[in-house]
């Protein structure tokens, strides 16, 4: 029984037999010669900054929209932006100030406490928001091409906007307890600027970490609570660390604690009885150092994983 021979394969310009075979290195050179790039490749740092600047209106709009929607389901709405830190300060006052008597030896304890709570909340909220910057916006990250740093920066900006609402209540409390506007109040502007830069840098670090390991977000509340207790929010570290009870290295670590440094700067700016003697030496240099190291370092650290966000 005869078998019919298979028809010859067509020969043409697209015939597999005529297609050239390239080595991997040759393919890369060919793609580069024709201007082809890897989809989603990380741009250079300079180009990345330029892209972020081009998305500045998106970052601002995203932050404002998040802030507006945060309490949209609550009956009191945006009032909770002020009520939340005030209620925290009230609870801390009765537990620490009254029951544990940490107000002993601290002049103007209520302004001291409320300032500490409001400024600490700014840092804690920025870092908490950073843990959700990528993992909480996976759909957006996978659907659209934009510099991913826009997300943690926008969420840090949202917390700064929220702080601006809270500062209105803080100033009313200061006035009610005899703290009237002084030229030193202007120091609050550079202090908050440095703190915002620090918060944004740390937010980008945790955004990258939680994008890869989501379990870090579950640990963050415990880390922040421990950090709060070590930052002098409810008590005076200056009074606590007097004498030789605390080892020198521990004392140095507490004095250079960035959260405590920014809280001290705001207390120094707003409260008359909080003097420079109650702050660590070179406090402005420490504050600026933390802001630059964490702000720039956090940005570079986040940028290095740009092409991996939203994948897997």
């Amino acid at each position: 029984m005869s078998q019919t021979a298979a028809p010859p394969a067509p020969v043409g310009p697209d015939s597999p037999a005529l297609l050239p075979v390239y080595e991997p290195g040759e393919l890369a050179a060919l793609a580069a010669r024709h201007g082809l790039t890897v989809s989603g490749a990380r741009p250079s740092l300079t180009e990345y900054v330029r892209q972020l600047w081009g998305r500045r209106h998106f970052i601002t709009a995203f932050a404002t929209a998040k802030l507006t929607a945060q309490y949209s389901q609550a009956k009191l709405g945006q009032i909770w932006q002020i009520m939340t830190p005030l209620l925290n300060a009230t609870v801390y006052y009765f537990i620490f100030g009254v029951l544990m008597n940490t107000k002993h030896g601290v002049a103007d304890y209520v302004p001291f406490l409320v300032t500490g709570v409001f400024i600490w909340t700014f840092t804690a909220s920025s870092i908490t928001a950073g843990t959700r910057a990528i993992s909480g916006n996976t759909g957006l990250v996978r659907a659209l091409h934009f510099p991913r740093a826009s997300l943690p920066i926008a969420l840090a900006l949202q917390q700064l906007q929220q702080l601006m609402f809270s500062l209105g209540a803080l100033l009313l409390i200061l006035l009610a307890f005899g703290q009237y506007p002084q030229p030193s109040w202007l120091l609050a502007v550079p202090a908050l600027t440095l703190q915002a830069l620090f918060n944004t840098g740390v937010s980008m670090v945790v955004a990258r970490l939680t994008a890869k390991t989501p379990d870090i977000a579950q640990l963050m509340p415990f880390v922040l609570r421990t950090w709060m207790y070590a930052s002098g929010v409810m008590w005076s570290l200056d009074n606590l660390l007097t004498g030789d009870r605390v080892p020198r290295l521990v004392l140095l670590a507490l004095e250079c604690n960035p959260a405590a440094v920014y809280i001290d700067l705001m207390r120094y700016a707003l409260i008359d009885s909080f003097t420079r003697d109650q702050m660590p030496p070179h406090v402005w240099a420490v504050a600026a150092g933390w802001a630059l190291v964490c702000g720039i370092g956090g940005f570079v650290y986040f940028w290095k994983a740009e092409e991996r966000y939203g994948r897997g």
Side-chain angles (χ1 to χ4, degrees):
M1 188 172 179
S2 61
Q3 295 182 351
T4 305
V11 177
D14 297 327
S15 171
L18 299 181
L19 290 177
V21 178
Y22 292 100
E23 295 295 329
E26 295 175 327
L27 281 174
L30 179 65
R33 188 162 61 247
H34 291 278
L36 302 180
T37 58
V38 178
S39 177
R42 183 184 68 200
S44 67
L45 189 58
T46 305
E47 174 62 18
Y48 195 64
V49 172
R50 189 191 66 79
Q51 291 179 9
L52 273 175
W53 177 251
R55 303 298 197 284
R56 62 190 182 279
H57 300 300
F58 163 75
I59 293 173
T60 305
F62 188 81
T64 304
K66 282 283 188 180
L67 181 66
T68 304
Q70 185 171 359
Y71 299 107
S72 60
Q73 301 300 319
K75 291 185 180 298
L76 294 180
Q78 304 303 315
I79 295 177
W80 281 109
Q81 296 181 25
I82 301 173
M83 289 297 297
T84 299
L86 281 178
L87 291 174
N88 284 333
T90 303
V91 172
Y92 294 149
Y93 175 79
F94 283 106
I95 293 177
F96 295 97
V98 177
L99 297 180
M100 298 182 64
N101 198 31
T102 58
K103 65 179 180 179
H104 178 71
V106 179
D108 300 308
Y109 183 72
V110 172
F112 176 94
L113 174 65
V114 175
T115 302
V117 170
F118 276 60
I119 300 307
W120 163 254
T121 300
F122 177 35
T123 292
S125 299
S126 298
I127 296 174
T128 301
T131 63
R132 303 187 298 268
I134 301 298
S135 58
N137 296 282
T138 306
L140 184 63
V141 170
R142 291 178 176 175
L144 299 174
H145 179 68
F146 63 96
R148 309 312 188 198
S150 302
L151 296 175
I153 291 175
L155 293 177
L157 178 60
Q158 174 197 349
Q159 300 308 318
L160 178 60
Q161 291 174 336
Q162 185 161 326
L163 177 67
M164 293 299 105
F165 285 98
S166 302
L167 284 180
L170 174 60
L171 295 181
L172 290 177
I173 294 172
L174 292 175
L175 292 173
F177 283 86
Q179 303 298 318
Y180 300 111
Q182 303 286 342
S184 63
W185 282 28
L186 295 176
L187 294 175
V189 176
L192 285 178
T193 301
L194 293 174
Q195 185 186 6
L197 183 58
F198 168 80
N199 292 351
T200 304
V202 178
S203 178
M204 286 191 282
V205 170
V206 298
R208 173 176 170 177
L209 292 176
T210 52
K212 181 180 180 181
T213 311
D215 290 350
I216 293 177
Q218 306 304 320
L219 294 174
M220 196 54 63
F222 303 98
V223 174
L224 291 175
R225 192 175 301 123
T226 304
W227 192 7
M228 178 184 69
Y229 293 144
S231 300
V233 176
M234 292 81 66
W235 49 65
S236 171
L237 288 178
D238 183 60
N239 292 344
L240 187 66
L241 301 178
T242 53
D244 299 326
R245 295 175 299 171
V246 180
R248 178 61 186 168
L249 287 178
V250 175
L251 178 63
L252 182 62
L254 291 174
E255 287 181 346
C256 294
N257 174 0
V261 166
Y262 296 123
I263 290 172
D264 282 350
L265 285 177
M266 287 298 292
R267 285 171 174 163
Y268 174 70
L270 301 177
I271 303 173
D272 295 340
S273 58
F274 195 89
T275 63
R276 191 174 186 85
D277 296 336
Q278 297 172 260
M279 298 189 296
H282 313 296
V283 63
W284 283 104
V286 174
W290 275 117
L292 292 175
V293 169
C294 291
I296 299 175
F299 179 78
V300 173
Y301 179 74
F302 184 90
W303 160 76
K304 282 184 173 295
E306 175 72 10
E307 69 274 12
R308 298 200 294 270
Y309 299 127
R311 297 187 178 183

